[in-house]
Every structure is written in C-alpha cells, then in structure tokens.
Amino acid sequence: MERTTELRFADGDAGEFPATWSQREFWATVREHRPDGFYQIVWDTHLPDGRDLGEVLACLRRLVLRHQALRTTVSRDETAGLRQIVRGEGSLPVRIEDVADAGEGVHACEKLKAEFLAGEPHVDRDPPLKIAAVTRGGRVRSLVLACSHVVLDGGSVAVLEDELAALLASGPDAALPPVAHTPADRAAEEQGPAAARVSERSLAHWRATLLDAPVAPFAHIPGGRAPLWLGRLTSRRLWRAESSLVAGTGLTSGSVYLTAAACVLAEVTGRSRLTFRVPTGNRFTPVALDFVGALSQHALITVDTAPRDTAGGFAELARTVERGLRRAYSRARYDPDELRRTIVETEAERGAPADLTYLFNDLRDEADKPGGGGWPMTAREGKAEEAEEEEPELAWELLHAANSDIKLYVRVSGGAGLGGVDVAADEGCLTRAETEHVLRATERLIVAQSPGC
C-alpha cells in the first residue's frame, strides 16, 4: 500500500546567491542532455529493527534544515546568470510504501530507486530532494533518498549518512558539529581572485589536453542513438591481483584499472590514445571533506598505451597514467562558462569537434580499496582457495535507454574482497559481445600483471 505525507520545515537560513561552479556545470549538462541522461544521486538506508515514522521524519527535518543543498532550487537570471535560491521554510513530499515482509521490502526499495532515477527533477521549480520510507509492521525499515546532481554530489552522501546515523542513534536533537562551509560560502569564494587563478590554471590544462587529444575512435557515431548496456564483472582473483599490484608497486587502484582498460580498448579499436573525462570530487581540503552540496567537476586525461611494450612494461605505463590522473585531478576546478568557451576555441583551432563522451570513474570509497582500511588483504592471502575459485561473475543492466553524454563508460566497483570493473557502451560503438570481451580481457590483463597471483 502506498501513501504520502509531508515533511515540513521552517526557520532555516534562506537567501539567493550566485550558483557555484559545480551547480552551473551540472545545470548546463542536465539541460543539454535531458531526457537522455539521468543526473541524480540515489541512496538507501536500512533500519533492521524499525523506527517510528515520526522520529525518522524529525531526523530528516534536522538534516534538511542543516544543509542548504537539500532545500535549494536554481534559477536563470538573464542579467545575473544562474542563481541558487535557498528556502528557509517549506515542505517535501514523503512517499510511504507499506510492505508485508522483508522480501517485499527489498523489492520496494529497488522499485523506488528506479523510479527516482527515471524522473529527473526540474530543479528550477521542484525541490531537489526526494524521500521515500518503506514501512513494515507500522515501523520504518528502509529509507530511499534521491537528490539532483545539480545541488548534491556523491561525496556528500557519506556525510549525510553519518549524520543521519548519529541522529537515529541519539535522537533528532543530538549534537552535531556546526556546518563550516555552505554552498553560499562556496559561491562567494568562487567570485574571488584566488578562485580565478585556480580556474585559469585548470583551463590551461584543458586547452593543452584538448589540442593534443586524438580523434576519438567513435567520433563518427552520433551519441544518444542506442541503448547503453552496462556489464559488471566481479571476481576474487581480480581483487587479489589488484591488491598485489598496489602492494608491490605503490600504484593506486584507479591507475591500474584505467591503464588495463585503455590497453584492451586500444586492441579493440586500433587506437593507442584515448581521451577520458574523469569525475572528480574536489574534496582535497579539510573544509571540503564535510561539505554537503555540489563540488564535483570533471578532469581530463589522454592515455597513450603505445609505450606499453617499452622498458618497464605495464607497471611503468600505469605510473605514467597515475601522474596524468593526479595532474588532471588538480585541474578540475574551473568556471564552466569559461570552459565551454575554451572548448569552442580549441575545436576551431583543431578544425575538429571535441568528443568528450568517454568516461572513467573509480566509484569506491577509500575503505573499499586494497589497504584502504576496510579490506587489507595482502598479496598472498587466500591462495589456498585460488585453485577452486569460480570464474568471474558477469551481470548486465540497462544503464540508459539512450544518453548523448556517454558513448563509453569504464568504472571501478567491487569492494568487500571482490574486484569489480564495469563497462557501459553505446551499442552503436560496441556490441554487447565486444563489451564483454573488454571486461574479461581487462580482468585477465590485471591478473597477468600481478606477481602475487
């Protein structure tokens, strides 16, 4: 059974401010690619013992009042540009799904997440936050929340989850640290001369990378015309191989996966160089770690796999990729309007359009990576079970029916002792069989390069 209630809030700070760089970047992205792309953050929280609905809503109200991003809309002012409007009072609809048993609850959560993802909010008029509660026996067993990427990024979710857990444990009036940096503060900072210098350095990096970028392998194929099927491969031997490489070489996991995937794609496409966009959290300072809002923008890197067979082989190539990633990450804060002008200028100079529809992203938290604290498996642990280990598991899902913003998406997933790599490709670029080949070949390459496997 489904019903709706309201989460009302009042007495929050309010105002109208310039939009931040990240807000402006994702606002433009959503408007350009709607309805093909989905740009929301969706997460769920499970309460196995159940909680009273009124208590849960009180905890959520505290979060909404603490964080401007959860009650922000944006508006285009033709003279002042994009603005963020923070509401001090209002209400948010809360869907309530009553279920009969735990299995039905799991199904309800998955259904709600899919529905929330499928309905991109119009953040110029709709509240950015969607809330649903799954109840059983009169008590809340799960929460499903979604927020537009225009006002919230993935790094914010961990902050919100920690704060919600603290409130549920100690009550909605529990002491929480003061909010040190708000989206309004971020916007003011980005208006200053120091931020302008940061943007100029980033734009110089983008310009140099774009001018040197190769013609993309699928540049002749229009984006957004075909489904994007995502294949997800997981295996324990991939985890052990990743652990061994990281422990033995000091490389980061992201550089290992990007290097391996680029090598395989070079063989598949016949192109040794490929330029990737890389989503970047921009959480490099203490004040940014607890920030709730939108900080993420994109980095840009060209990976050249041609030197793979030279001295040092895969490991040396991965070191080069890692250096490139670090530089790219450090150049991922910029004025997005200036970036669009930079892209137009470089396209004119190159005499060819920039194809920025190739993405790489390591989705994992640091604790889910080898040596990150959550799973410190060493290179040789688990060797006794290796001979009997099952083949890698492969699952498929339709990532998008069409998406003009993505032709190829490589991402690192896994965790909990499982290595995982995902590849999604526009069917006009790679068939599902070719995508499966990329997945399996990437896993085999990482395993083959690992001295501990």
Side-chain angles (χ1 to χ4, degrees):
M1 184 177 67
E2 178 184 324
R3 53 196 172 94
T4 303
T5 189
E6 294 290 320
L7 190 158
R8 301 186 184 280
F9 61 91
D11 300 323
D13 59 327
E16 182 174 334
F17 314 96
T20 67
W21 288 345
S22 182
Q23 287 173 345
R24 286 158 54 194
E25 179 167 342
F26 278 96
W27 164 263
T29 299
V30 171
R31 288 176 64 86
E32 181 177 353
H33 300 288
R34 185 196 303 269
D36 297 333
F38 303 121
Y39 301 93
Q40 296 189 83
I41 305 293
V42 180
W43 71 102
D44 52 22
T45 298
H46 301 291
L47 312 169
D49 298 328
R51 304 298 288 267
D52 176 75
L53 176 62
E55 180 185 1
V56 171
L57 293 181
C59 293
L60 290 171
R61 182 179 297 109
R62 176 81 183 280
L63 289 184
V64 169
L65 286 170
R66 271 177 64 81
H67 298 296
Q68 294 179 349
L70 304 182
R71 44 194 170 85
T72 292
T73 55
V74 297
S75 177
R76 169 65 70 184
D77 184 314
E78 294 305 324
T79 57
L82 194 68
R83 310 284 290 176
Q84 52 174 320
I85 297 94
V86 181
R87 295 182 298 159
E89 61 181 33
S91 65
L92 297 170
V94 179
R95 285 180 55 178
I96 302 173
E97 293 267 1
D98 294 313
V99 300
D101 54 47
E104 190 179 343
V106 171
H107 175 75
C109 283
E110 294 305 313
K111 182 192 73 170
L112 286 163
K113 286 192 286 187
E115 289 182 11
F116 280 175
L117 273 174
E120 185 75 37
H122 292 261
V123 291
D124 51 346
R125 61 174 188 263
D126 298 338
L129 180 65
K130 301 175 184 178
I131 306 171
V134 177
T135 62
R136 178 162 50 90
R139 294 172 69 79
V140 178
R141 306 290 176 152
S142 298
L143 288 170
V144 178
L145 302 104
C147 199
S148 170
H149 215 326
V150 174
V151 295
L152 197 77
D153 61 19
S156 303
V157 172
V159 180
L160 292 171
E161 287 180 325
D162 287 347
E163 291 189 358
L164 180 58
L167 294 172
L168 289 170
S170 303
D173 296 324
L176 293 175
V179 175
H181 198 62
T182 68
D185 296 329
R186 171 63 54 162
E189 181 181 291
E190 290 172 351
Q191 303 294 307
R197 291 191 293 271
V198 168
S199 181
E200 288 170 5
R201 288 193 294 270
S202 295
L203 294 175
H205 169 77
W206 275 75
R207 178 180 176 83
T209 305
L210 286 168
L211 286 174
D212 183 56
V215 176
F218 309 116
H220 61 289
I221 298 174
R225 301 286 182 86
L228 270 75
W229 282 97
L230 182 139
R232 177 176 290 114
L233 183 147
T234 56
S235 82
R236 296 199 179 278
R237 72 183 182 195
L238 179 58
W239 169 264
R240 285 197 293 273
E242 174 189 357
S243 302
S244 177
L245 276 168
V246 169
T249 65
L251 291 164
T252 60
S253 295
S255 62
V256 168
Y257 279 94
L258 178 55
T259 303
C263 287
V264 172
L265 287 167
E267 294 172 357
V268 170
T269 65
R271 307 286 184 88
S272 65
R273 301 176 73 234
L274 185 61
T275 300
F276 291 89
R277 276 189 301 141
V278 185
T280 304
N282 283 330
R283 293 177 179 263
F284 304 127
T285 62
V287 74
L289 293 177
D290 295 326
F291 181 80
V292 173
L295 284 178
S296 61
Q297 293 185 265
H298 283 93
L300 194 68
I301 180 174
T302 295
V303 178
D304 184 356
T305 60
R308 175 184 171 188
D309 297 326
T310 60
F314 180 91
E316 188 57 36
L317 177 58
R319 292 189 195 284
T320 301
V321 171
E322 182 171 316
R323 288 192 293 270
L325 279 173
R326 291 185 184 279
R327 178 169 176 77
Y329 289 145
S330 71
R331 298 292 183 261
R333 286 192 58 205
Y334 48 80
D335 182 322
D337 296 327
E338 293 297 329
L339 176 61
R340 281 189 287 276
R341 281 190 278 272
T342 298
I343 292 173
V344 170
E345 291 169 0
T346 55
E347 287 179 331
E349 191 168 340
R350 281 163 48 96
D355 189 352
L356 299 177
T357 59
Y358 309 83
L359 277 73
F360 172 78
N361 195 8
D362 190 339
L363 297 174
R364 301 170 300 172
D365 294 330
E366 286 301 316
D368 290 328
K369 300 176 184 179
W375 300 95
M377 181 183 286
T378 64
R380 296 189 177 277
E381 284 183 43
K383 292 288 287 184
E385 295 81 13
E386 184 174 358
E388 301 178 2
E389 185 181 67
E390 71 282 357
E391 282 298 302
E393 292 188 6
L394 184 62
W396 294 93
E397 67 177 83
L398 182 63
L399 187 63
H400 296 297
N403 190 321
S404 55
D405 192 30
I406 302 173
K407 288 181 184 174
L408 178 69
Y409 187 10
V410 179
R411 67 189 195 188
V412 189
S413 56
L418 277 176
V421 59
D422 308 341
V423 175
D426 185 310
E427 285 190 339
C429 302
L430 293 177
T431 65
R432 194 189 296 199
E434 289 170 327
T435 300
E436 180 174 346
H437 169 74
V438 172
L439 283 163
R440 294 191 183 280
T442 299
E443 191 247 11
R444 287 195 299 269
L445 177 55
I446 292 174
V447 170
Q449 295 298 322
S450 168
C453 291

